Amino acid sequence: MRVLDFTLFELINAIKNGDLSWEDVMDEYKIRIDRLDDDLKAYITINENIDKVNLNTPLAGVPLAIKDNICTRGLRTTCGSRILENYIPPYDATVVTKLKEAGAVILGKTNMDEFAMGSSTENSAFFPSKNPWDKSRVPGGSSGGSAVAVAAREAIAALGSDTGGSIRCPASFCGIVGLKPTYGLVSRFGLIAFANSLEQIGPMTRDVRDCALLMNIIAGYDEMDGTSINKECENYLTYLNMDVKNMRMGVLKEFFGEGTEEGVKKEVWNAIHVLENLGMKYKEVSLPTIKYALPAYYLIAMSEASSNLARYDGIRYGVRIDDEGLDWSKAYSKTRSLFGKEVKRRILLGTFALSAGYYEDYYLKALKVRTLIKRDFERLFKEFDVLVGPTMPTVAFKIGEKIEDPLEMYMMDVDTVPVNLAGIPAISVPCGFSNGLPIGFQIIAPPLMEGRLIAVARKLEEELNLNLNPPL
Ligand code: GLN
């Protein structure tokens, strides 16, 4: 077996037993990146300054990739945007501090849609990333670069962020595991804000074991994040062998609606039957308010974005342009013209939704819908331990296919955004292929029940035993 095919779990053991040195592992990954990344474009920045590793740490020397909206001290963090093209953070995000303290090494910062707005990485100000299963296709987004790095063996695991599906979508399209934690479980300190009330940082890994392992490191209370939940840390590894017999699973009917490909439906149903054979009970259920989730999500996300992105004025935040001879308004416009098309669209729409006279009709209404969706989920969780369905309605689409039509792109998020509105956790785990492209199975649980997601996803991945190594 190649070193590059080790999972995080296996690699840690191999390094601990002295079968491998972390320097050798690092070299293998560097060679791999040199060979593949000019083409796949998983990374925006490669870390050239790798420190010595403390071998008495749980992740001693394991090479990770970090999405480029998560601050890394001394290492450029662009957020996929020209406006932060030269930004070198003076501090680490809390998750990065935790990973470094655990001994992990940051290989580089991964490509993403600008300010995490998108589902394909085509909105990156720099370049799109390519799907390692078919290079004419997108890897999904917005954490596309992280998914490519993990799937193509350019990193052993990665962090992404998920505001409306940005971890789960690329995980689904690239054949890896991605977990969006409960809102408040993982610190957002040092995550460059897009829509604060919706987003969480989470792991993107080659299997569920690695996902549990990373959750153990990144989850936990942080006084630097005002929305952080103050509770005991859990050991997610204990859920890997949990029996799922008699667990009740609700199959979300709306997730199989119009626009869902036959190939996706088939493999997702197959996964449901695999879990049924393990003793889980299932029933088809409806979440009636879900049809309002997409518009509510986009209204809330854009409104928050318009407010969050106001700080990029070229003075305190954002690139300092040459403003010689310009009055303040022209200088301000010149700076803000550095935002890409999609970011500008969202700032405009969000500002509109928040403006006097429209606030009640749009933003406030979206908040009310959000509450209804949350209650709908609460009602279902009285009857079911987990809810399931596809992560994405389709497999990865072609680069260029949807980029000219924002609505078509937004529609891709129908099955992922409800979870962010409700603040609950969800995982995407590979469940099969359609025309050689991976499909993700989504499992959703009540708040702080990540353990259930890990238990069910692990059983499924063990039973299916798919080959998730793209031919590169
Ligand atoms: N695709 C969604 C959007 O464009 C979700 C993005 C995300 O989760 N960051 O808003």
Side-chain angles (χ1 to χ4, degrees):
M1 187 172 167
R2 292 185 311 173
V3 169
L4 294 172
D5 292 329
F6 279 38
T7 64
L8 179 56
F9 217 86
E10 292 161 346
L11 191 65
I12 291 171
N13 285 328
I15 294 176
K16 249 192 214 121
N17 297 339
D19 300 337
L20 276 173
S21 80
W22 74 270
E23 288 96 338
D24 291 343
V25 174
M26 197 61 61
D27 287 346
E28 292 263 359
Y29 274 95
K30 290 220 143 146
I31 293 168
R32 181 77 169 175
I33 292 171
D34 278 347
R35 184 161 85 74
L36 293 181
D37 213 51
D38 277 346
D39 189 24
L40 292 177
K41 298 279 189 201
Y43 289 97
I44 295 176
T45 307
I46 298 289
N47 184 8
E48 305 292 348
N49 298 310
I50 292 177
D51 296 334
K52 251 206 122 27
V53 160
N54 173 1
L55 288 174
N56 294 319
T57 46
L59 297 185
V62 302
L64 301 182
I66 308 285
K67 186 177 182 180
D68 212 18
N69 58 353
I70 301 174
C71 287
T72 42
R73 189 175 160 188
L75 184 60
R76 189 167 76 121
T77 300
T78 70
C79 211
S81 183
R82 293 269 171 228
I83 215 155
L84 287 171
E85 189 165 6
N86 306 314
Y87 176 52
I88 299 184
Y91 69 107
D92 277 325
T94 299
V95 288
V96 172
T97 306
K98 288 185 171 194
L99 288 172
K100 284 183 178 171
E101 279 170 8
V105 175
I106 295 170
L107 272 176
K109 304 299 293 290
T110 55
N111 195 24
M112 55 182 282
D113 290 290
E114 184 174 10
F115 279 93
M117 298 174 184
S119 312
S120 68
T121 75
E122 290 164 291
N123 292 331
S124 163
F126 307 109
F127 36 72
S129 302
K130 294 182 184 168
N131 191 310
W133 294 92
D134 174 350
K135 291 191 239 169
S136 69
R137 290 174 190 268
V138 302
S142 63
S143 318
S146 286
V148 174
V150 175
R153 275 76 178 137
E154 291 185 70
I156 195 145
L159 291 187
S161 70
D162 192 311
T163 313
S166 282
I167 289 176
R168 289 161 288 152
C169 158
S172 174
F173 282 3
C174 292
I176 64 167
V177 173
L179 174 76
K180 191 230 58 103
T182 305
Y183 187 76
L185 181 60
V186 175
S187 168
R188 284 182 300 112
F189 178 72
L191 170 68
I192 298 175
F194 153 26
N196 325 41
S197 81
L198 298 159
E199 51 213 10
Q200 273 290 287
I201 295 172
M204 302 176 74
T205 56
R206 299 211 194 128
D207 70 5
V208 179
R209 267 199 311 188
D210 289 3
C211 175
L213 199 65
L214 280 189
M215 277 304 285
N216 274 1
I217 310 236
I218 63 171
Y221 176 65
D222 179 13
E223 60 177 20
M224 298 301 281
D225 173 356
T227 59
S228 180
I229 301 172
N230 197 346
K231 71 162 207 57
E232 281 283 299
C233 286
E234 277 193 83
N235 179 1
Y236 294 101
L237 297 173
T238 58
Y239 295 97
L240 289 168
N241 296 317
M242 192 174 118
D243 196 358
V244 298
K245 204 160 168 224
N246 292 326
M247 264 173 91
R248 300 156 306 166
M249 130 176 92
V251 179
L252 289 166
K253 274 191 207 151
E254 286 82 0
F255 280 32
F256 296 81
E258 202 189 324
T260 310
E261 281 176 7
E262 286 309 314
V264 170
K265 288 186 196 167
K266 182 168 161 263
E267 295 305 324
V268 169
W269 270 107
N270 177 53
I272 294 165
H273 293 309
V274 166
L275 293 172
E276 188 188 16
N277 285 338
L278 292 174
M280 282 180 73
K281 311 230 173 314
Y282 85 86
K283 199 169 128 191
E284 286 186 71
V285 289
S286 187
L287 211 116
T289 49
I290 222 161
K291 55 175 170 296
Y292 306 115
L294 206 57
Y297 165 78
Y298 272 95
L299 275 168
I300 294 170
M302 289 179 185
S303 301
E304 290 186 24
S306 82
S307 154
N308 274 322
L309 272 56
R311 65 172 67 110
Y312 299 96
D313 52 12
I315 301 163
R316 287 163 312 160
Y317 289 90
V319 116
R320 182 90 217 194
I321 48 133
D322 176 11
D323 56 6
E324 192 85 25
L326 297 177
D327 64 33
W328 71 266
S329 155
K330 290 222 172 61
Y332 195 82
S333 303
K334 195 170 166 193
T335 302
R336 291 179 68 82
S337 69
L338 291 172
F339 283 133
K341 211 165 150 185
E342 180 61 23
V343 175
K344 284 183 187 153
R345 176 169 22 242
R346 294 192 188 203
I347 293 174
L348 287 172
L349 290 171
T351 306
F352 179 75
L354 288 175
S355 59
Y358 294 102
Y359 178 89
E360 288 78 9
D361 287 347
Y362 294 115
Y363 182 67
L364 202 63
K365 205 169 258 172
L367 288 185
K368 288 180 181 164
V369 169
R370 182 177 195 171
T371 305
L372 293 177
I373 291 171
K374 211 169 156 209
R375 286 199 198 131
D376 247 2
F377 273 115
E378 278 162 10
R379 179 179 55 78
L380 286 180
F381 283 127
K382 289 205 177 100
E383 206 186 322
F384 300 99
D385 300 302
V386 291
L387 300 170
V388 300
T391 306
M392 299 299 290
T394 69
V395 291
F397 47 90
K398 292 259 189 205
I399 295 176
E401 191 182 317
K402 296 186 193 290
I403 195 68
E404 297 306 331
D405 185 346
L407 280 184
E408 224 188 289
M409 189 73 88
Y410 299 168
M411 295 289 280
M412 296 308 291
D413 305 330
V414 320
D415 301 334
T416 50
V417 298
V419 160
N420 302 74
L421 287 168
I424 55 184
I427 197 168
S428 180
V429 57
C431 70
F433 292 85
S434 175
N435 294 327
L437 296 165
I439 296 168
F441 183 71
Q442 185 172 207
I443 314 168
I444 305 172
L448 299 174
M449 294 297 157
E450 278 76 2
R452 269 186 215 166
L453 300 180
I454 287 168
V456 177
R458 177 64 181 163
K459 283 284 177 302
L460 183 65
E461 106 183 329
E462 279 176 335
E463 284 301 306
L464 293 174
N465 196 18
L466 300 169
N467 175 6
L468 293 163
N469 201 348
L472 287 167

